[in-house]
Amino acid sequence: MRLVVAGKREIAEGVAHLTLRDPGGAPLPPWTPGAHVDLVLTPALTRPYSLCGDPADRTSYELAVRHEPAGRGGSRHVHEELAAGDELEVRGPRNEFELVPAGRYLFVAGGIGITPILPMIAEAESRGVPWRLVYGGRTRASMPFLDRLTGDRVELYPQDETGFPDLDALSPGDALVYCCGPSGLVDEVVRRCPPGSVRVERFTPREDAGAGPRAAFEVELARSGRALTVPADRSILSVLEEAGVPVLSSCQEGTCGTCETDVLGGVPDHRDSLLTPEERAAGDTMMICVSRSLTPRLVLDL
């Protein structure tokens, strides 16, 4: 899609809120809580950002982006280059963080990790499902959307006032836990929750992501029958791009799911920070930007 930046404003210290619309006023593709879109900021710079508005509003997409000057360039471009009235290519929406039905929810957010959680809370509220939110940040002024988060089900932890949230006291019980934020927070929440009770979305890869031996292997493209060699020092994604195979990608570090590809044969060596243990065990999909192969050949649905 080509969308226009209909509005840009600061909603917290270092956080820009974007409103994107179709230039001709056409309705935008539907989405569900937890979804993200990819912003093609330059030909060499594509980044995923979570949608944080109302899924029922087909007239616009809302995003919130924290300025990370030491990051890989996406947030700097949004904050320093992108302006109201600009048009840009937008891909998606896609959802790798889907809100699945549950009897109750515990939401845990760190900083800008509140963005995918906001529409989840609204969805839980509309279904009449009990929920609780634990939301931490560096300072109250740096935590976006505080005006939308009130009531006794919301626990706020500005670090300069309260310190870090007491994760030992989370007590999820029978709640399904959704957590988004810095890797340290996500890792600690996962460690404290029973297996299968937590869904996470990360800003950066897990510390152990990408670990393991690296050897060359072949990928067969099922739709064309082509076979390509992936050297030990290259990713599947880079080999496919060099060979002119059309594939989508965004983060290129195994966190966003844009490059997820179906596996028709062979055993993938999962090195992403996104798939659940059950999805990894099934072996029928993989993130080709970082994952490799445990067998001499993989057959991909490409």
Side-chain angles (χ1 to χ4, degrees):
M1 298 173 285
R2 293 289 300 181
L3 301 184
V4 64
V5 180
K8 177 184 177 183
R9 60 191 177 93
E10 185 173 78
I11 58 170
E13 288 182 356
V15 178
H17 178 275
L18 303 179
T19 302
L20 307 179
R21 299 183 188 275
D22 182 90
L28 300 180
W31 60 281
T32 53
H36 72 267
V37 292
D38 297 330
L39 301 188
V40 183
L41 300 169
T42 72
L45 186 63
T46 300
R47 292 291 182 267
Y49 296 106
S50 295
L51 293 169
C52 59
D54 179 2
D57 180 6
R58 300 281 300 279
T59 67
S60 66
Y61 289 151
E62 292 184 39
L63 315 171
V65 181
R66 182 175 298 285
H67 195 192
E68 300 288 355
R72 297 187 300 140
S75 71
R76 287 200 307 274
H77 186 97
V78 169
H79 278 259
E80 300 172 13
E81 304 292 336
L82 202 62
D86 288 349
E87 287 193 15
L88 73 165
E89 182 182 341
V90 179
R91 299 172 181 165
R94 297 182 184 82
N95 201 338
E96 302 290 341
F97 196 39
E98 190 81 42
L99 185 69
V100 301
R104 65 180 61 245
Y105 297 104
L106 171 61
F107 300 111
V108 183
I112 200 65
I114 191 63
T115 51
I117 299 296
L118 275 180
M120 292 185 179
I121 290 174
E123 178 68 16
E125 189 74 14
S126 71
R127 296 180 191 171
V129 179
W131 59 270
R132 181 164 66 101
L133 169 67
V134 175
Y135 177 23
R138 293 191 298 270
T139 65
R140 193 176 293 269
S142 72
M143 298 167 66
F145 303 113
L146 291 185
D147 58 327
R148 303 189 192 180
L149 299 167
T150 58
D152 56 8
R153 287 181 289 183
V154 177
E155 301 174 26
L156 301 179
Y157 293 90
Q159 184 182 337
D160 62 335
E161 299 176 23
T162 64
F164 292 103
D166 182 4
L167 298 180
D168 286 326
L170 280 179
S171 302
D174 61 351
L176 184 59
V177 181
Y178 278 80
C179 178
C180 182
S183 289
L185 171 69
V186 173
D187 290 340
E188 288 302 309
V189 169
V190 170
R191 187 171 68 83
R192 286 167 167 80
C193 291
S197 69
V198 60
R199 307 285 192 276
V200 304
E201 185 166 74
R202 300 172 183 267
F203 301 152
T204 56
R206 301 188 330 265
E207 286 189 7
D208 62 345
R214 301 179 71 89
F217 58 94
E218 283 193 341
V219 290
E220 178 183 334
L221 311 183
R223 301 182 196 177
S224 66
R226 294 178 67 185
L228 301 170
T229 298
V230 180
D233 60 348
R234 298 276 305 279
S235 68
I236 298 174
L237 177 64
S238 68
V239 169
L240 294 177
E241 290 178 332
E242 185 179 81
V245 180
V247 288
L248 293 178
S249 68
S250 181
C251 73
Q252 299 190 16
E253 57 184 15
T255 58
C256 75
T258 301
C259 71
E260 185 171 5
T261 302
D262 288 341
V263 178
L264 305 180
V267 181
D269 179 6
H270 296 293
R271 303 190 182 195
D272 64 275
S273 302
L274 188 63
L275 294 177
T276 66
E278 295 79 12
E279 290 168 333
R280 289 177 173 229
D284 54 9
T285 187
M286 68 185 298
M287 308 304 160
I288 59 174
C289 63
V290 292
S291 295
R292 303 188 65 78
S293 181
L294 294 174
T295 49
R297 174 176 286 221
L298 284 176
V299 182
L300 303 180
D301 186 18
L302 292 171

